[in-house]
């Protein structure tokens, strides 16, 4: 097969077949289900087009309040996440002190625990009858309504999602050219004015990227409101409308469309806010912001803030661990006693949930790596017409809430049976696994694209020059060199799917098919089940933590192997 002038292979039947298979998967399990949700929101029972369902939505006080509550919670969570993250990011980059490693840890710890798991622990610690309020009431005669109603959701979501802002903003601050700061200082800017007028505006792309992601994640979250008993928000209302009224209720689809619309709107506004502005600098190696020593007062304030955030971040983990070991923990600052009985209970009653999680997430992550590798290769190494659409469609899954995808699955595949079995497809675990795969595909895709971008095309050309055909080159050269990125994508997809609740809660039809996330939710519905639920949550956290560490280790080793090759290539 001939190559084009830029080294990319031209159109072939094999590549076309691969592209068609990938496209068929995306259309069948993403485009069609989401399209069916949109269709149902805009048609009457007789199939005629209408906007009437949206009018009915805004005429119902409960649904209208749910919309504004979701918007308020998402905006407030983004604000408080920013309040936590911005000082931490600035401290890390701007000043030299021993707390930098702690801040890096803060960027990972919240993400290894699902927010709906941490919500129960935070209720026990900061709730009206929680440890903190019991002690405050005893010592000072006051209580804080931290976990009451929407405040509790904002508190949980802010603590869980602030690392998205922290990580993105830290990278952006490190990429600022130090000469920009020096020029501003020479013109008289210093302190707060220097940060507000020069440093933060230059880091705005990183902040906006993180803040928009926090908004979307909070706006779409289902598990946290349900666990905290708050139903007057959009995601819980979508769940209740479909499960209680039925799949033919148009308002459930209207809610779903609004959720997708606001997710897309948030991402579009974040891009629009930065459009037409130049944030580039001329930084060379070693030209970033100069780190300075903290003064005595600044050191005290910095460590006080880091310690406060660290205590807040660790509180869900400590709470879940204590709850999993507690005999009784009610109306007391600490449990009355400790036991391992809850762990024995879950290993006795819930081994199927653990096995189901490994099965579903393993298959979903495997599919994601295969699709991600195929899309990356088609996009970067071929000239197939429309190949960029594969990337766009796959990445669009980020804007689709899990509950919306699940509703689309239930409507699209309703009445379809697995050939030869007589079993309805919607009554099996297959759709759960596919939902995990679709929802996590963007993560694996980005890892695969990054891995392939680091492979020089000359290596493939060298293989072709010694007689290897395309498929042998892919199998013997490309795949081994991409292995680190592919494995990192597999681990990322696996660990994030393991704590997926939004799609799971809609698609599980039998307890025997339930994964760990669904089991945690079921256990947490009763006071007597919270101990086993916490124990199952601890296992989920451990699995995610180990997977996260393994993913970082894999990426580091892959990067270390590539450094010598790059160094040799640069030698004249």
């Amino acid at each position: 097969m001939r190559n084009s002038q830029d080294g990319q292979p031209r159109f072939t039947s094999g590549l076309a077949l691969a592209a068609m298979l990938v496209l068929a998967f995306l259309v069948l399990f993403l485009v069609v289900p989401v399209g069916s949700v949109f269709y149902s929101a805009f048609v009457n029972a007789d199939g005629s087009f209408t906007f009437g369902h949206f009018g009915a939505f805004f005429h119902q006080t409960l649904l209208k309040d749910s919309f504004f509550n979701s918007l308020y919670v998402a905006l407030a969570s983004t604000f408080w996440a920013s309040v936590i993250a911005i000082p931490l990011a600035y401290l890390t980059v701007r000043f030299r002190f021993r707390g930098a490693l702690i801040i890096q840890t803060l960027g990972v710890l919240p993400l290894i625990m699902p927010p709906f798991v941490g919500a129960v622990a935070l209720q026990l610690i900061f709730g009206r009858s929680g440890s903190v309020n019991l002690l405050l009431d005893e010592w000072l005669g006051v209580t804080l309504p931290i976990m009451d109603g929407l405040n509790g959701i904002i508190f949980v979501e802010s603590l869980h999602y602030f690392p998205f802002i922290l990580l993105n903003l830290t990278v952006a601050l490190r990429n600022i050219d130090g000469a920009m700061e020096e020029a501003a200082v020479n013109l008289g800017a210093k302190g707060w004015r220097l940060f507000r007028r020069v440093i933060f505006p230059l880091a705005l792309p990183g902040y906006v990227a993180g803040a928009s992601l926090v908004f979307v994640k909070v706006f779409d979250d289902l598990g946290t409101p349900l666990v905290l008993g708050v139903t007057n928000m959009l995601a819980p209302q979508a769940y209740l409308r479909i499960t209680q009224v039925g799949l033919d209720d148009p308002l459930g689809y209207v809610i779903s469309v609004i959720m997708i619309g606001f997710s897309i709107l948030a991402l579009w506004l974040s891009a629009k806010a930065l459009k037409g502005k130049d944030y580039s600098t001329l930084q060379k190696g070693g030209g970033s912001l100069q780190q300075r020593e903290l003064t005595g007062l600044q050191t005290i304030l910095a460590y006080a803030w880091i310690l406060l955030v660290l205590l807040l971040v660790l509180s869900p983990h400590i709470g879940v661990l204590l709850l999993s070991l507690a005999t009784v923990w009610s109306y007391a600052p600490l449990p009355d006693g400790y036991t391992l009985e809850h762990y024995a209970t879950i290993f006795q009653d819930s081994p199927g949930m653990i096995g189901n999680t490994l099965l579903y997430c393993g298959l979903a992550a495997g599919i994601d790596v295969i699709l991600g590798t195929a899309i990356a290769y088609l996009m970067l190494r071929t000239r197939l017409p429309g190949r960029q659409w594969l990337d766009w469609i796959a990445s669009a899954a980020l804007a689709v809430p899990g509950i919306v995808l699940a509703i689309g699955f239930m409507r699209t595949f309703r009445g379809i049976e697995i050939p030869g079995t007589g079993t309805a497809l919607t009554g099996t675990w297959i759709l759960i696994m596919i939902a995990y795969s679709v929802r996590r595909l963007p993560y694996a895709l980005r890892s695969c694209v990054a891995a392939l971008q680091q492979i020089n095309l000359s290596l493939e050309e060298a293989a072709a020059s010694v007689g290897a055909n395309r498929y042998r080159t892919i199998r013997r050269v490309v795949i081994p060199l991409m292995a680190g990125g592919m494995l990192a994508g597999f681990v990322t997809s696996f660990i994030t799917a393991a704590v997926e609740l939004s799609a799971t809660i809609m698609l599980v039809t039998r307890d025997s098919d339930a994964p760990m996330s669904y089991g945690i939710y079921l256990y947490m519905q009763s006071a007597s089940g919270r101990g086993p639920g916490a124990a199952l949550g601890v296992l989920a956290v451990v699995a995610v933590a180990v997977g996260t560490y393994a993913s970082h280790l894999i990426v580091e080793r892959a990067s270390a192997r590539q450094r010598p090759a790059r160094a040799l290539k640069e030698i004249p």
Side-chain angles (χ1 to χ4, degrees), residues 24-102:
F25 179 91
L26 295 175
V27 169
L28 182 60
F29 296 115
L30 179 58
V31 177
V32 172
V34 174
S36 71
V37 170
F38 273 81
Y39 174 81
S40 302
F42 288 98
V43 297
N44 287 314
D46 59 1
S48 59
F49 180 83
T50 181
F51 282 107
H53 302 320
F54 287 85
F57 172 89
F58 285 103
H59 277 90
Q60 290 198 21
T61 303
L62 173 61
L63 296 181
K64 185 166 61 175
D65 289 345
S66 298
F67 168 75
F68 288 111
N69 286 343
S70 292
L71 191 58
Y72 164 70
V73 168
L75 290 172
S77 298
T78 305
F79 171 77
W80 287 112
S82 302
V83 170
I84 297 171
I86 292 175
L88 292 176
Y90 190 61
L91 282 172
T92 303
V93 178
R94 191 70 181 82
F95 300 102
R96 187 181 301 110
F97 66 106
R98 295 181 180 179
L101 181 59
I102 299 177

Side-chain angles (χ1 to χ4, degrees), residues 1-4 8-12 15 470:
M1 188 207 70
R2 295 177 303 164
N3 285 355
S4 63
Q8 291 183 326
R10 294 184 186 278
F11 186 91
T12 67
L15 293 173
R470 170 185 317 286

Side-chain angles (χ1 to χ4, degrees), residues 12 76 94 109 121 167 192 273 282 291 366 373 384 399 412 536:
T12 67
R94 191 70 181 82
L109 274 179
L167 297 174
W192 168 247
L282 300 175
Q291 288 191 322
T373 303
L384 289 176
T412 302
L536 202 56

